[in-house]
Amino acid sequence: LIPEEYVESISERIAMYQQLDNSKTENELLAFEKQMQDRFGLVPQQVKKLIDVVRLRWLAVELGFEKLILKNKRLTAWFLSNQKSPYYQSEIFSKILAFIQTNPKTCTMNEGENKLTLKVENIKEISEAMEILKRMKA
């Protein structure tokens, strides 16, 4: 979250969240961070992590994940619900499968309630989750 001590006004914090959520490019994220620093001073770690959450969300979408949760040192990603989607025949899905096969100690795939999920263990930080997703994409 954006700390209250950093941006005191609730309406300004909400506007900042909306601006961040509407960011679509890396340049927009960099401009957002610069704007925060110009207006409020040195950007705290919480805000930097929040910006990284946006980057993580972008990576998840590129990989075909509908939902992503990082909790209790576990990254859980939900694949597309439509199991007949051409996504499941795509190169990116094949890369994810290959990644899982080469990392069996930390990665598992599960199917339940017609939902396919990927779980990656021992992920403590957003930066680690980003690195894992980048490796899947490579």
Side-chain angles (χ1 to χ4, degrees):
L1 298 174
I2 298 172
E4 289 179 32
E5 307 80 46
Y6 185 62
V7 179
E8 293 179 7
S9 166
I10 291 173
S11 60
E12 278 191 283
R13 279 198 312 276
I14 289 171
M16 292 293 151
Y17 289 127
Q18 288 173 333
Q19 182 181 349
L20 185 58
D21 192 48
N22 291 329
S23 297
K24 302 293 181 221
T25 67
E26 184 64 27
N27 285 340
E28 288 177 3
L29 286 183
L30 295 173
F32 174 83
E33 188 171 359
K34 183 176 180 349
Q35 175 189 6
M36 294 290 284
Q37 183 165 336
D38 290 348
R39 290 183 65 196
F40 306 106
L42 188 62
V43 178
Q45 278 304 119
Q46 297 101 309
V47 175
K48 290 182 181 202
K49 285 184 180 183
L50 190 58
I51 293 168
D52 278 345
V53 166
V54 173
R55 290 181 178 113
L56 182 63
R57 190 171 62 202
W58 291 346
L59 279 169
V61 168
E62 284 181 50
L63 289 166
F65 298 126
E66 289 183 332
K67 182 178 175 183
L68 197 70
I69 293 178
L70 179 58
K71 186 177 179 181
N72 298 327
K73 298 182 184 177
R74 176 187 291 155
L75 175 71
T76 305
W78 283 260
F79 289 94
L80 295 177
S81 299
N82 180 3
Q83 294 183 359
K84 294 181 182 187
S85 167
Y87 165 78
Y88 291 104
Q89 308 302 318
S90 70
E91 181 182 348
I92 196 71
F93 185 68
S94 295
K95 286 181 178 184
I96 294 169
L97 291 177
F99 182 86
I100 294 167
Q101 290 171 342
T102 57
N103 296 278
K105 291 182 181 178
T106 57
C107 296
T108 56
M109 256 174 95
N110 300 307
E111 185 175 7
E113 300 177 22
N114 294 325
K115 293 272 186 175
L116 187 61
T117 60
L118 167 65
K119 293 185 180 179
V120 184
E121 302 294 335
N122 300 320
I123 306 292
K124 299 173 206 93
E125 295 286 330
I126 293 166
S127 59
E128 290 177 67
M130 287 175 54
E131 193 55 42
I132 290 291
L133 295 188
K134 285 177 185 175
R135 286 176 42 210
M136 286 181 194
K137 204 172 98 166

